[in-house]
Amino acid sequence: VQLQASGGGLVQAGGSLRLSCAASGSVFRIFAMGWYRQAAGKQRELVATITMNKIANYADSVKGRFTISRDNVKNTVYLQMDSLKPEDTAVYYCAAGSELTGEGVASGSWGQGTLVTVSS
C-alpha cells in the first residue's frame, strides 16, 4: 500500500486545517487508517485512528478539536483539525494497516509526512 498525504501548512492559533491521505495499491488489505504526529525533539505520537467500519478513536490532546473520517470508495482518510494550538505543530504522518492494536495502526504502511505549523 502506498500513501500520499497532503494538506499541511501554516495557520494561526485557533484556525483550521484539513489533512488528506490517499491510499493506492493493495487497498483491500486496509482495515485501519490513522494519523500520527511528531514534534521537533519528541517521539511520534498517535493522533487518531479509524477502522473500515468508521469507528474512530482520538488522543486525549485532540479530542473535541480534531475529526478523523474515511472515504472507503476513494481509499482516503482525512483529518479535520479545528481550534489549532501552537502545541499541535508537528509533522503529521498517515498510516494504513490490516490491524488495529492498542498502539494504533499495525501491519501496514506509512505515508510521507506533512508539516503543520501553528503560530501563536
Side-chain angles (χ1 to χ4, degrees):
V1 175
Q2 294 77 47
L3 300 172
Q4 181 68 44
S6 61
L10 173 64
V11 64
Q12 288 188 329
S16 298
L17 278 176
R18 188 192 195 207
L19 306 182
S20 300
C21 179
S24 60
S26 301
V27 297
F28 62 91
R29 299 178 183 270
I30 299 174
F31 170 71
M33 302 184 81
W35 290 94
Y36 293 72
R37 66 186 181 187
Q38 187 168 19
K42 296 187 177 181
Q43 289 189 327
R44 188 176 297 187
E45 64 174 353
L46 178 63
V47 175
T49 62
I50 188 166
T51 64
M52 180 177 290
N53 50 354
K54 302 186 180 180
I55 296 174
N57 280 286
Y58 299 90
D60 288 343
S61 59
V62 306
K63 279 181 182 177
R65 300 188 298 120
F66 290 12
T67 303
I68 190 170
S69 61
R70 177 173 176 173
D71 186 327
N72 289 333
V73 174
K74 295 182 178 179
N75 297 307
T76 299
V77 63
Y78 305 94
L79 186 68
Q80 177 66 41
M81 304 184 292
D82 299 317
S83 302
L84 282 160
K85 305 175 180 180
E87 51 263 44
D88 295 318
T89 296
V91 177
Y92 284 71
Y93 298 88
C94 61
S98 59
E99 300 178 71
L100 184 64
T101 71
E103 296 182 349
V105 178
S107 302
S109 304
W110 291 86
Q112 89 288 4
T114 184
L115 177 62
V116 172
T117 304
V118 184
S119 63
S120 57

